[in-house]
């Protein structure tokens, strides 16, 4: 066990865990954050996505020791119920969520991509989010929400 310093959603934390522990487990068990979800455990479905220094990463396969000192943002860290982040508000406005299992993956992947490529084409956006699996087939509404967020970046 090692004490590892993390900065999650703007707050500093010291966690005493095995350095090889996946970040997802630390976010869930140690910090009680429920945005990122355990899906496949292989980094393939995207349910566990978080932002690390602005990049979308799969937290289920990322050792916690590799992100010490980095800025980690989960879905909860984007905004609050009273003041949601513009991409969260777009998802609410477009009624783009069903079960919510993929939301961390879709929202955080789209945000990270559009923050780096604010003028991306529809095809580029679809390609960026294509690695996040959604079981509810709300892609049309999600895509409208992502486009709505993109419009705020111009």
């Amino acid at each position: 066990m090692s004490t590892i310093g993390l900065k999650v959603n703007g707050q500093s934390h010291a966690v005493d865990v095995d350095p090889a522990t996946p970040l997802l487990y630390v976010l869930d068990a140690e910090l009680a954050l429920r945005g990122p979800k355990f899906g496949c455990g292989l980094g393939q479905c995207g349910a566990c996505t978080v932002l690390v220094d602005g990049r979308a990463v799969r937290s289920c396969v990322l050792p916690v020791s590799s992100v010490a000192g980095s800025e980690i943002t989960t879905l909860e860290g984007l905004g609050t119920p009273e003041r949601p982040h513009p991409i969260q508000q777009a998802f609410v406005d477009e009624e783009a969520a069903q079960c919510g299992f993929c939301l961390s993956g879709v929202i955080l992947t789209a945000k990270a991509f559009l923050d780096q490529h604010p003028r991306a084409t529809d095809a580029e956006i679809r390609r960026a989010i294509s690695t996040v699996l959604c079981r509810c087939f709300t892609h049309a509404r999600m895509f409208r929400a992502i486009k709505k967020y993109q419009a705020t970046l111009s």
Side-chain angles (χ1 to χ4, degrees):
M1 301 297 244
S2 296
T3 301
I4 298 173
L6 298 175
K7 187 169 184 183
V8 181
N9 298 333
Q11 296 183 356
S12 295
H13 302 273
V15 294
D16 188 28
V17 296
D18 182 323
T21 302
L23 175 61
L24 175 63
Y25 299 172
V26 173
L27 295 173
D28 181 46
E30 302 293 324
L31 303 181
L33 295 170
R34 303 295 182 245
K37 306 275 190 270
F38 181 87
C40 66
L42 301 171
Q44 296 178 353
C45 73
C48 66
T49 302
V50 300
L51 299 179
V52 176
D53 295 331
R55 289 182 5 261
V57 300
R58 306 297 169 89
S59 65
C60 72
V61 293
L62 189 66
V64 68
S65 60
S66 70
V67 295
S70 298
E71 180 67 40
I72 301 162
T73 305
T74 68
L75 190 60
E76 299 96 329
L78 287 184
T80 65
E82 300 79 28
R83 296 194 65 193
H85 184 277
I87 196 167
Q88 290 171 313
Q89 188 61 56
F91 270 68
V92 170
D93 294 346
E94 294 298 327
E95 299 177 356
Q98 292 256 342
C99 77
F101 205 77
C102 69
L103 279 182
S104 279
V106 174
I107 290 176
L108 295 176
T109 299
K111 180 187 182 314
F113 179 74
L114 288 174
D115 287 353
Q116 292 294 312
H117 306 57
R119 296 174 197 221
T121 66
D122 289 1
E124 291 169 330
I125 294 168
R126 287 183 196 283
R127 192 169 30 258
I129 64 168
S130 70
T131 60
V132 181
L133 303 180
C134 172
R135 299 181 276 191
C136 300
F137 302 105
T138 60
H139 292 291
R141 286 181 277 169
M142 288 180 185
F143 191 75
R144 283 196 308 267
I146 292 165
K147 292 296 289 181
K148 188 174 199 170
Y149 172 64
Q150 183 182 31
T152 70
L153 301 175
S154 304

